[in-house]
Amino acid sequence: MEQIEVSTGGRQAFHDITNEVQAAISRSGVQDGVCFLFCLHTTAGLTVNENWDPTVQQDIGTGLDAISPQRPEYRHSEGNSPAHLKCSLIGPSQFVPVAGGKLVLGTWQGVYLAEFDGPRRRKVVVKVVEG
Amino acid sequence: MEQIEVSTGGRQAFHDITNEVQAAISRSGVQDGVCFLFCLHTTAGLTVNENWDPTVQQDIGTGLDAISPQRPEYRHSEGNSPAHLKCSLIGPSQFVPVAGGKLVLGTWQGVYLAEFDGPRRRKVVVKVVEG
Amino acid sequence: MEQIEVSTGGRQAFHDITNEVQAAISRSGVQDGVCFLFCLHTTAGLTVNENWDPTVQQDIGTGLDAISPQRPEYRHSEGNSPAHLKCSLIGPSQFVPVAGGKLVLGTWQGVYLAEFDGPRRRKVVVKVVEG
């Protein structure tokens, strides 16, 4: 088990961590199995989406802001309930199959840490299981 | 493999099941691996979010009601399509890494059963895999 | 590790792949463990929801269209940002416990490939891990 640390770049930001995850798999020595990623926070999550055109990540952020705006009914005094909801919608974790020591991803897929209440320093647990 | 049963407390409710999950891990004897949780229902799910201030769970519920209201176009005759959609948005499952026989969670993270069409009796499968 | 291929039936469509997944588990010979499913695309995902009344899937699609419409602020030139957002909301993957060589699903649960930008030919990786 390892941890990846990411210093996020804004209130909301998507950071491609695919290379860091691949490096952790290589260090683990596992050839075939599953890589489990778990984000240790409640206002940031993990997603898999397009790694080519950065406007896709921007548009996903724009769409999430429209879905989860600040709402007058919210009671949590820290004021970051929109980020907590985004975290539960996107989810705190992702897994990716591993074959031949490599992540099995589609041509356009990358693994992203999704920051919803930054900038902050975030930790992602990486656990590679053989099987 | 075990099952956790939860009697939910309302139409929509979030139940912290972290202690029950930890107890199942302890019974499994697994020291290092991954704990897989799977909810056997289509109008309830599982999420990981803040375990300190209960207004966070309330606000997530308020936000989900705003995102997934009853809609006049819905055709499912049971009338609980908003709950089915919430289930697919939040997801039926979660996994959490295990190290030293303990769930690896961030300081503010808890595991929640999310009821969207209660009150009902709900079942969650717990499977702990060594690795 | 296997791949399931699905030719999707429209712009947005839900395809029940439960039988194909069960067949892959049977071929794997694994009796007890977890089945991991990973969709290799960024505008299609996987979900678990009701397998009985098809209006549930239709209503989930209607609700997702309301949540993730085309938005004038979107910048991605392919015009399919609503599908990319749906993919991150529903997620690219699902896991299901396996016991006695069978998927452990609730009475009303089926596994669905969710197409958001079809029709296309889609691939889902199936990986069954013993444990």
Side-chain angles (χ1 to χ4, degrees):
Chain A
M1 204 172 77
E2 289 198 30
Q3 281 190 21
I4 292 173
E5 293 201 23
V6 181
S7 292
T8 61
R11 176 192 62 87
Q12 184 163 277
F14 295 84
H15 293 268
D16 188 336
I17 60 170
T18 314
N19 290 343
E20 287 87 338
V21 174
Q22 178 58 56
I25 292 169
S26 299
R27 282 190 293 272
S28 78
V30 171
Q31 289 297 303
D32 293 286
V34 181
C35 177
F36 298 97
L37 304 168
F38 188 85
C39 182
L40 293 167
H41 308 277
T42 59
T43 55
L46 295 170
T47 192
V48 173
N49 217 302
E50 181 172 324
N51 63 358
W52 182 250
D53 181 351
T55 63
V56 170
Q57 301 305 320
Q58 293 169 22
D59 288 357
I60 290 173
T62 299
L64 284 171
D65 281 338
I67 288 172
S68 183
Q70 193 55 260
R71 298 188 192 275
E73 307 93 314
Y74 283 164
R75 297 176 51 194
H76 181 49
S77 60
E78 282 188 73
N80 60 355
S81 291
H84 283 289
L85 177 55
K86 289 172 185 173
C87 179
S88 278
L89 290 171
I90 294 296
S93 61
Q94 293 288 334
F95 67 81
V96 184
V98 174
K102 304 284 179 196
L103 287 166
V104 178
L105 288 168
T107 311
W108 309 107
Q109 287 181 313
V111 182
Y112 287 83
L113 181 131
E115 171 65 76
F116 300 124
D117 193 31
R120 300 201 197 196
R121 191 143 184 86
R122 301 298 198 172
K123 293 178 184 169
V124 177
V125 172
V126 185
K127 174 95 188 169
V128 193
V129 174
E130 203 152 15
Chain B
M1 203 170 77
E2 289 198 31
Q3 282 190 20
I4 292 173
E5 295 200 23
V6 181
S7 293
T8 60
R11 176 192 62 86
Q12 184 162 277
F14 295 84
H15 293 267
D16 188 336
I17 60 170
T18 314
N19 289 344
E20 287 88 338
V21 174
Q22 179 57 57
I25 293 169
S26 300
R27 281 190 294 272
S28 78
V30 171
Q31 288 297 303
D32 293 287
V34 182
C35 177
F36 298 97
L37 303 168
F38 188 85
C39 182
L40 295 167
H41 308 276
T42 60
T43 54
L46 296 170
T47 192
V48 172
N49 216 301
E50 182 171 323
N51 63 358
W52 183 250
D53 180 353
T55 63
V56 171
Q57 301 305 320
Q58 293 168 24
D59 289 356
I60 290 173
T62 299
L64 284 171
D65 281 339
I67 288 172
S68 184
Q70 193 56 260
R71 298 188 192 275
E73 307 93 315
Y74 283 164
R75 297 175 51 194
H76 180 49
S77 61
E78 282 187 73
N80 61 353
S81 291
H84 283 288
L85 176 55
K86 289 172 184 172
C87 179
S88 278
L89 290 171
I90 293 298
S93 60
Q94 293 289 334
F95 66 80
V96 184
V98 174
K102 303 284 179 196
L103 288 166
V104 178
L105 288 168
T107 312
W108 309 107
Q109 288 181 311
V111 181
Y112 287 83
L113 181 131
E115 171 64 77
F116 300 125
D117 192 32
R120 300 201 197 195
R121 192 143 183 87
R122 302 296 199 174
K123 291 177 185 171
V124 177
V125 171
V126 185
K127 172 94 187 169
V128 193
V129 173
E130 203 151 15
Chain C
M1 203 172 75
E2 289 199 31
Q3 282 190 21
I4 292 172
E5 294 201 23
V6 181
S7 292
T8 60
R11 176 191 63 86
Q12 184 163 277
F14 295 84
H15 293 267
D16 188 335
I17 60 170
T18 314
N19 289 344
E20 287 88 337
V21 174
Q22 178 58 56
I25 292 169
S26 299
R27 282 190 293 273
S28 78
V30 171
Q31 288 298 303
D32 292 286
V34 181
C35 178
F36 298 97
L37 303 168
F38 188 84
C39 182
L40 294 167
H41 308 277
T42 59
T43 54
L46 295 170
T47 192
V48 173
N49 217 301
E50 182 172 323
N51 63 358
W52 182 250
D53 180 353
T55 63
V56 171
Q57 301 304 321
Q58 294 168 24
D59 289 358
I60 289 173
T62 299
L64 284 171
D65 281 339
I67 288 172
S68 184
Q70 193 56 259
R71 298 189 192 274
E73 307 93 313
Y74 283 164
R75 297 176 50 193
H76 180 48
S77 61
E78 282 187 74
N80 60 355
S81 291
H84 283 289
L85 177 56
K86 288 172 185 173
C87 179
S88 277
L89 290 171
I90 294 297
S93 60
Q94 294 289 333
F95 67 80
V96 183
V98 174
K102 304 284 180 196
L103 287 167
V104 178
L105 289 168
T107 312
W108 309 107
Q109 287 182 312
V111 182
Y112 287 83
L113 181 132
E115 171 65 77
F116 301 125
D117 192 32
R120 301 201 197 195
R121 191 144 184 85
R122 302 296 199 173
K123 292 177 184 168
V124 177
V125 172
V126 185
K127 173 94 187 169
V128 193
V129 173
E130 204 152 15

